[in-house]
Amino acid sequence: MGYQLDFSKVLQGEYLDLILQGLQTTLILFAISWVIGLVLAVLLTVVRAIEFKPTQFLVAAFVEYHRNVPILIQLFVWYFGFAVVLPEAVNDYLNDVGAEIGYAIVALALNKAAYMSEDFRSGLRSIHPAQMEAARSIGLNYLGAMRWVILPQAWRLALPALLGQTLILFKGTSLAAGIGVAELSYQARYVEEQSFRIFEAYGLVTAIYMVISFAIMWGSSILSTRYRLRVK
Amino acid sequence: MRLKHILAAAIFAGAAGLSTIASAEQLNDIKAAGELNCGVLTNSPPLGFQDPKTREPAGYEIEICQMLAKYLGVTPKLTAVSPQTRMAELTQGRVDILSSLLSYSKQRAEQVDFSGAYVAEDFNFVVLDKSDITKVDDLAGQRIGLVKGSVLIPLTEKRVPDARVLSFETSAASFLALQQGKVKATVYRYSEGKAVERNAGADIKALRFLDEPLLSMPSGFAFRKGSPELVKATNTFLAELETSGEGQKLYDKWLGKDSELKAERKFEFGKPQESWFKE
């Protein structure tokens, strides 16, 4: 009466289709959230670098919220909370086009923007102020000094942390299952419930997650070595 | 250290001795003791709950167990059990009989014996009252919210193959999704749907049950294996409830026309539960 492992059930037909659809959704969620997150992170870093207390405070508050509240709660706040302040017509439209994945992208992208902007800021802060003074003294203006001296070093310093965030985001996409996004882990659970093949369903999905995670890690190590600062 | 171990072992042995279960016919034991110990739920109104006034357990399932005790000529004793532990409470002998909304399933039938049904409740699709959905077939192509892991998911997909089922972590999340129009329908047990409406307050968007039930789910008494006489006596008692009209009275009091639910009885007392699950 032992449990016979039998992968054939989840590796064919409808179940495999569901898992592949889930993988597609996971990758879409990951890619779009990453791009939006990175762009927003750059904006946040620039805004925070401006010497103006109110905007600095706002960015800091944004970052602290996203760093100190569990991502699942952030997803719920967007999915269930944001709908309350929108007019009904807008809600109905959003629900028809697929509110789940939309809100999931918004929540994940904002969360990553907060983390990545902190990484950029650390990169900037780890460059000695004397470098700015030196750059200005050879006749570069502020923007020029940033463009030619500071930023080329800062982004390299931030790179390992950014790549780490990329991996965390990839794994974080699975939390979107909590608001009904049919991504990889949601489908794994569904297949498990339907087929009663718990080990196979989760085993297959675990393998998929691991392959992609390792690919991200491998890419990260190559990029990190390639762009490591030789002189500091 | 050694002494502690010996003491602990002695206490365990004593406890085990006290709770030894006689494997003989239970009906004789119950009659000899003059007491029927019913395992009941205390947080599922109107079936089994704490009466806020008397602080005593009350409800449909509690009254039916008291009636059974009277029929057997013994006094009823009520023990609160939880849905998670009720099977173990019975098989380990802490209660004589379960009267706690236990539905028949093949896996359960391997561990306990079931009486015929004393209650059956329909599960229906529920939509917002203002929605333009009037029958189950209107749900084709719509989104239906359910709770993860629910047995209702495959049933819903079978009944409305074109619908998109979204599953949420909790019943509350699925209810909220329905309220916000993120899904067009969900599925509730009749009394559960009524309770949700009542508990969620007056300012929610009104719900509407669609007529055609998705399924009907029976529940009955459960017994430890090996007491055919007790099972037989109980089934006779249930059959008499049906013929004498006492059963209808009890149903009307808690679930039917004299209650808030105003549900309609669609089952026969004592009908074998297995017959619900024949494909």
Side-chain angles (χ1 to χ4, degrees):
Chain A
M1 206 22 223
Y3 185 90
Q4 295 293 323
L5 274 184
D6 176 9
F7 275 95
S8 65
K9 282 220 174 50
V10 295
L11 279 175
Q12 61 184 343
E14 189 206 357
Y15 292 147
L16 185 65
D17 285 349
L18 284 171
I19 285 175
L20 291 178
Q21 276 171 28
L23 175 61
Q24 189 188 356
T25 309
T26 287
L27 292 175
I28 290 171
L29 199 57
F30 168 63
I32 300 181
S33 308
W34 190 85
V35 171
I36 299 176
L38 190 71
V39 171
L40 281 176
V42 173
L43 282 175
L44 286 171
T45 315
V46 171
V47 170
R48 197 163 180 172
I50 298 167
E51 289 290 335
F52 182 57
K53 281 277 182 292
T55 53
Q56 281 185 339
F57 173 79
L58 280 178
V59 175
F62 175 90
V63 168
E64 289 313 314
Y65 166 74
H66 286 97
R67 286 209 308 182
N68 292 296
V69 176
I71 303 188
L72 189 60
I73 307 291
Q74 295 173 28
L75 280 157
F76 278 137
V77 165
W78 279 103
Y79 185 64
F80 284 125
F82 195 63
V84 176
V85 299
L86 289 178
E88 189 128 343
V90 178
N91 267 328
D92 287 345
Y93 171 75
L94 286 176
N95 291 334
D96 286 341
V97 297
E100 288 77 32
I101 191 160
Y103 284 128
I105 287 172
V106 170
L108 289 171
L110 290 179
N111 181 277
K112 276 309 108 174
Y115 276 98
M116 286 176 168
S117 78
E118 284 298 280
D119 295 338
F120 281 128
R121 213 161 63 97
S122 307
L124 278 176
R125 277 192 312 199
S126 58
I127 294 175
H128 202 284
Q131 293 217 24
M132 181 51 113
E133 289 159 18
R136 297 301 299 271
S137 71
I138 57 168
L140 288 166
N141 61 11
Y142 176 80
L143 281 179
M146 273 297 204
R147 164 82 184 77
W148 298 108
V149 180
I150 308 293
L151 287 179
Q153 300 176 81
W155 82 262
R156 283 181 164 86
L157 286 168
L159 186 66
L162 291 174
L163 292 167
Q165 284 304 330
T166 303
L167 185 60
I168 292 171
L169 170 66
F170 174 67
K171 290 183 292 188
T173 54
S174 67
L175 291 168
I179 57 168
V181 178
E183 49 64 75
L184 194 51
S185 62
Y186 179 101
Q187 299 291 35
R189 182 163 183 168
Y190 180 85
V191 169
E192 172 250 312
E193 281 164 8
Q194 298 295 309
S195 66
F196 293 98
R197 294 266 144 208
I198 301 179
F199 292 102
E200 290 86 339
Y202 283 120
L204 176 61
V205 167
T206 303
I208 296 174
Y209 274 121
M210 277 176 82
V211 166
I212 298 174
S213 289
F214 275 123
I216 293 173
M217 276 160 70
W218 179 71
S220 301
S221 70
I222 288 180
L223 286 171
S224 298
T225 334
R226 167 82 182 69
Y227 291 109
R228 186 178 300 146
L229 274 186
R230 305 286 188 288
V231 187
K232 203 184 158 188
Chain B
M1 224 28 224
R2 289 270 312 262
L3 186 66
K4 250 194 205 164
H5 283 253
I6 292 165
L7 267 179
I11 289 166
F12 269 111
L18 283 175
S19 65
T20 303
I21 304 151
S23 59
E25 174 58 50
Q26 243 191 293
L27 186 58
N28 308 330
D29 298 349
I30 290 167
K31 286 194 164 157
E35 184 178 77
L36 176 70
N37 188 345
C38 304
V40 295
L41 296 177
T42 53
N43 52 6
S44 304
L47 297 151
F49 58 100
Q50 292 284 55
D51 187 320
K53 290 192 204 70
T54 62
R55 295 287 176 87
E56 291 292 315
Y60 179 87
E61 287 193 299
I62 284 156
E63 194 165 330
I64 202 167
C65 208
Q66 288 165 332
M67 286 161 90
L68 172 66
K70 201 171 137 197
Y71 174 83
L72 297 173
V74 295
T75 48
K77 175 170 183 263
L78 303 171
T79 305
V81 296
S82 77
Q84 293 81 23
T85 61
R86 58 194 168 179
M87 296 274 287
E89 303 253 21
L90 175 67
T91 51
Q92 292 173 11
R94 287 197 204 98
V95 296
D96 297 325
I97 182 171
L98 283 184
S99 169
S100 59
L101 208 59
L102 195 70
S103 290
Y104 171 90
S105 80
K106 267 207 184 99
Q107 292 85 349
R108 282 176 178 166
E110 286 167 11
Q111 296 180 48
V112 299
D113 283 331
F114 285 93
S115 75
Y118 57 60
V119 71
E121 246 192 314
D122 284 352
F123 284 76
N124 289 64
F125 286 102
V126 175
V127 295
L128 290 183
D129 193 26
K130 65 179 175 76
S131 93
D132 46 11
I133 292 165
T134 53
K135 56 184 189 298
V136 176
D137 289 337
D138 295 348
L139 291 168
Q142 298 289 3
R143 296 140 57 95
I144 302 173
L146 293 167
V147 181
K148 283 201 169 114
S150 159
V151 290
L152 299 167
I153 295 173
L155 290 163
T156 300
E157 287 176 333
K158 213 149 108 189
R159 177 62 190 83
V160 203
D162 305 340
R164 217 188 119 212
V165 172
L166 272 118
S167 60
F168 294 99
E169 295 292 333
T170 62
S171 164
S174 141
F175 171 74
L176 195 55
L178 176 68
Q179 284 288 310
Q180 297 186 349
K182 292 189 164 74
V183 296
K184 284 282 188 292
T186 181
V187 179
Y188 283 132
R189 185 190 277 272
Y190 187 76
S191 60
E192 177 192 15
K194 289 289 177 194
V196 165
E197 262 185 318
R198 204 172 39 233
N199 298 342
D203 53 355
I204 60 160
K205 294 175 183 152
L207 306 178
R208 179 156 48 83
F209 288 78
L210 298 185
D211 281 337
E212 178 202 330
L214 177 63
L215 82 153
S216 164
M217 195 77 148
S219 297
F221 294 107
F223 318 88
R224 276 194 294 283
K225 289 267 183 201
S227 296
E229 292 300 319
L230 179 60
V231 180
K232 211 168 94 188
T234 306
N235 280 331
T236 314
F237 155 78
L238 289 172
E240 281 180 25
L241 282 185
E242 181 63 44
T243 48
S244 68
E246 288 294 312
Q248 183 64 45
K249 258 192 228 159
L250 178 73
Y251 185 88
D252 285 342
K253 174 178 171 185
W254 294 106
L255 302 161
K257 63 177 170 36
D258 306 332
S259 72
E260 280 180 17
L261 290 178
K262 307 269 181 281
E264 189 188 334
R265 183 164 77 103
K266 296 177 184 167
F267 65 95
E268 264 173 56
F269 281 94
K271 183 182 167 190
Q273 289 190 63
E274 299 87 301
S275 58
W276 260 269
F277 296 90
K278 296 238 161 61
E279 279 294 308

